[in-house]
Amino acid sequence: NHDPLTVLAKVDTYTTHGNGTAADAVKWLDQAQRLMPVDQTGQQSLWYEKRTQVVYWAAMRNEHEAVGQALMLDDPRTTVPAEQKLIDQLNLQMYAASLQIYQLQFDIGTQRGLATWQQAQAQKLSGPPLDALRTTLLALFAQRVAVHLSKGEEKQARDVIAMGREIDADDRMLGLQEVIVMAMRNTGNARKLAEEWSSDPIYPRMRALVETVYAAKMIEIGQFSAAGGAVEKAVKIDPNLLETKLARAELLAETRLEDLRKTWAENFREIGT
């Protein structure tokens, strides 16, 4: 009976039940949109919710081409003003970019985030909506930097910080992350850079993190005495920091268990704990 709700129910087979592909779900969304009566605002809102779900699951299932296809569909909500539709569309695009970076699709997610920001500027968006997009984009950069830091990828982290600084040179999170990136290369310079945050409540945590980064570098090259000194500094600065406890645990494992059998370590890795 050309009922859009019936077609939208097909979308659930992909989102809720994990059957079919994102490309199938996009086709169903497109079909439902074509059948949508102009006066059925409830159905139009439901369509919009379903599309957001498709974007989420397509990104999480690494069907990234379909993410772009879903985002290209027109918004059928007839009672929503054009400006609000634009804001919602840009926010959804930025949400998709964040999901893709979460899935380690760095280039795709970053390009989408930057393109969305440029689109917002081209559309002369201003005020709180533009500020919100800027905040989301910068958080997206910080999210990517955090992943690079966790993998010890100092150069990649530095490059992403530079990209974010082009959007906002004074962003707090990127500034704090820059201290850690600096510590991976030169701890002395990182300590000096951290001093710029001495009046900030987060300063003790940052100083302790710098010392744990130094300790990790020293452990890696077998300089356990230097690593121990850095860990003790970190403990005095912020004894409850998780990274401080992890650094101390790693140091103890390297220095106090001389009779540790390699097979024990191999077995522990296999457990995957």
Side-chain angles (χ1 to χ4, degrees), residues 45-59:
S45 296
L46 179 63
W47 183 95
Y48 191 85
E49 293 175 7
K50 299 289 186 185
R51 181 174 68 156
T52 302
Q53 294 170 11
V54 169
V55 167
Y56 173 81
W57 284 112

Side-chain angles (χ1 to χ4, degrees), residues 64 83 102 121 128 130 150 185 200 202-203 213:
H64 298 289
E83 182 179 5
Y102 177 78
Q121 292 179 310
L130 185 65
S150 71
R185 175 177 291 190
D200 193 292
I202 206 171
Y203 174 73
V213 172

